[in-house]
Amino acid sequence: TFTVPFSLTDLADYLSVDRSAMMREIKTLKEDGIIKKMDKNRFTLLSRFFLIKSSILIMQIYFFIFDNYIFHF
């Protein structure tokens, strides 16, 4: 289970995709039994096969957070 610590709109912007297209993909992942959406920004990965792809996405999210929310000295 992982939590996206910002809005799905911000995630779509970061990934440079249309929010509605991203939401369709999330819906497809839910229907295919790959993820379960727990609440607004929390997801559970149900299929280990997609663990690597999800790990890459999570790394991109953390890089986004680091670049935008951590002070650089």
Side-chain angles (χ1 to χ4, degrees), residues 39-51:
D39 55 34
K40 186 176 178 180
N41 291 348
R42 197 169 73 167
F43 300 87
T44 298
L45 183 65
L46 302 175
S47 174
R48 291 179 187 246
F49 176 74
F50 292 95
L51 184 59

Side-chain angles (χ1 to χ4, degrees), residues 34 45 47-58:
I34 296 168
L45 183 65
S47 174
R48 291 179 187 246
F49 176 74
F50 292 95
L51 184 59
I52 293 173
K53 284 187 174 182
S54 297
S55 297
I56 292 169
L57 175 61
I58 291 168

Side-chain angles (χ1 to χ4, degrees), residues 3-19:
T3 301
V4 178
F6 46 87
S7 75
L8 294 177
T9 300
D10 289 341
L11 177 60
D13 288 343
Y14 172 70
L15 297 173
S16 299
V17 297
D18 182 67
R19 185 181 186 280

